[in-house]
Amino acid sequence: MADLATPMSIRVAATLGLVEHAGNAGATAERLAALTGTSAPALGRLLDHLVTVGVFEHDARSGRFRPTSLGTQMDEVRLLLDINAAGGRAELAFVELLGTVTTGAPAYPRRYGREFWADLDAEPELRRTFDAQMNWRFETQASQIAERFDWGRFPEILDVGGGNGMVLEAILRAHPGVRGRVLDLPPSAEAAADRFAAAGLGDRAGAVAGSFFEPLPAGADAYLLCDILHDWDDEHARAILAECRRAAAPDGTVLVIEAVRGQGVDTTVDLFMLMCFGGRERTIAELTDLAADLGLTPRGSAPVSDGRTVLELAVTA
Ligand SMILES: C[S@@+](CC[C@H](N)C(=O)[O-])C[C@H]1O[C@@H](n2cnc3c(N)ncnc32)[C@H](O)[C@@H]1O
């Protein structure tokens, strides 16, 4: 459980694309080193370990390394493992976990010198791979979210921190009477606008670049926070809810969609949220508590996809 050799070997293999380079026919260490610009003797030793753990098999006669079915599966989640992509890079900050446990502060800024979102702003490739990872995780859930909740009750939705618009696109496709906008940081807002135009939804969908710590576009019927609050500590999560409350129509609603602690969320995700952002997975009661004193009254919660729950908070005086 405690060695780092295997997880790092797998991540380096994914980063170098060894499974893809080897292909079904396999390749020698020398060939793979030439293709990846690495040291053949060192790569050979990495491959030996990947054989030990069942990711590759080695044909002694040809000297070729071939991916096993485990190796092929690994390649399918390469986006999560690649240490140059946003998710894999964030995972490496776990080496600073002792600092997080000692101080309670996130490890990511300690390791990389700036917070996660600032890092994404500074590095377009990190932003691109993060948005791709967000879309990958919702490949089946986006349509579930769109179909398992009555979005038709809300003529105008603001998807706050809506990324590159995947969830909102699914909602608008499933509910032709609904209009919506994404608000997110500039590169994602731009990507959302492109997505809506490409989907032919330009007349019902738009995107606004901005921060959810600043005043939000006012008057929407629903302010959606999908996987937003868990990225933040209580103080910041409350500030986001307060901005939604301030901007909402008098009879508006704030909708929180998250994986809920106690309903299938595992401790790995919770620890990642702490380590990366200082955030946390919360129970429904903890989410509801965040909204206390903000003029938001819980109206109920229900499962909305395989793994996520929607919590409705009604605007009250
Ligand atoms: C975990 S992602 C969720 C994206 C989307 N809601 C979804 O469920 O696919 C969190 C989003 O919050 C956005 N975000 C982070 N800080 C923000 C800020 N200050 N203002 C607006 N959006 C922000 C990120 O850019 C990212 O798209």
Side-chain angles (χ1 to χ4, degrees):
M1 285 168 80
D3 88 72
L4 292 182
T6 300
M8 283 313 301
S9 297
I10 288 172
R11 285 166 191 276
V12 168
T15 305
L16 294 173
L18 293 184
V19 168
E20 191 183 338
H21 283 307
N24 291 336
T28 62
E30 291 70 24
R31 172 78 183 134
L32 288 169
L35 289 170
T36 57
T38 53
S39 149
L43 186 69
R45 289 164 67 179
L46 176 81
L47 286 160
D48 286 344
H49 186 59
L50 292 168
V51 170
T52 302
V53 298
V55 171
F56 278 88
E57 57 193 13
H58 186 229
D59 176 17
R61 262 191 326 134
S62 65
R64 290 176 184 228
F65 291 88
R66 274 188 210 93
T68 61
S69 60
L70 183 62
T72 308
Q73 282 173 45
M74 185 196 85
D75 207 45
E76 286 163 12
V77 291
R78 190 169 147 192
L79 181 63
L80 310 185
L81 300 172
D82 182 338
I83 61 180
N84 294 323
R89 177 176 161 89
E91 288 275 335
L92 292 198
F94 262 122
V95 296
E96 305 286 351
L97 184 61
L98 178 60
T100 292
V101 171
T102 305
T103 64
Y108 194 97
R110 180 190 285 253
R111 179 169 170 84
Y112 295 117
R114 54 190 169 211
E115 290 180 351
F116 181 81
W117 303 114
D119 215 18
L120 264 53
D121 276 351
E123 300 286 343
E125 186 56 14
L126 290 181
R127 167 51 76 174
R128 193 192 63 72
T129 53
F130 176 77
D131 286 346
Q133 182 180 336
M134 291 300 96
N135 291 356
W136 173 84
R137 91 197 195 291
F138 263 1
E139 261 169 21
T140 51
Q141 289 198 46
S143 59
Q144 294 174 349
I145 289 170
E147 285 155 19
R148 295 184 189 172
F149 185 75
D150 183 11
W151 297 96
R153 289 160 50 205
F154 305 108
E156 176 85 36
I157 297 170
L158 188 74
D159 188 356
V160 180
N164 67 6
M166 185 188 197
V167 172
L168 187 61
E169 180 187 346
I171 292 171
L172 298 190
R173 280 187 188 280
H175 301 271
V178 174
R179 306 169 63 84
R181 281 185 293 171
V182 156
L183 177 133
D184 207 296
L185 300 171
S188 291
E190 207 174 292
D194 291 347
R195 169 194 286 276
F196 298 142
L201 288 168
D203 55 335
R204 288 196 289 133
V208 186
S211 169
F212 44 48
F213 295 113
E214 306 287 333
L216 298 171
D221 303 288
Y223 288 73
L224 169 60
L225 295 167
C226 182
D227 279 5
I228 299 298
L229 298 183
H230 75 160
D231 293 342
W232 299 93
D233 62 21
D234 285 359
E235 182 191 344
H236 287 88
R238 222 175 265 126
I240 296 166
L241 283 166
E243 290 302 340
C244 292
R245 164 67 183 87
R246 255 192 287 279
D251 57 351
T253 302
V254 177
L255 298 167
V256 177
I257 294 181
E258 297 226 345
V260 167
R261 197 155 65 83
Q263 296 176 24
V265 176
D266 67 23
T267 47
T268 312
V269 180
D270 185 53
L271 205 51
F272 178 86
M273 290 300 156
L274 171 65
M275 177 284 293
C276 189
F277 304 109
R280 62 183 309 154
E281 302 297 314
R282 296 179 175 90
T283 62
I284 289 290
E286 286 166 340
L287 287 167
T288 304
D289 278 355
L290 288 176
D293 305 330
L294 291 179
L296 291 170
T297 304
R299 202 194 270 145
S301 63
V304 73
S305 67
D306 300 345
R308 280 175 177 71
T309 297
V310 59
L311 167 66
E312 277 195 56
L313 300 166
V315 169
T316 45

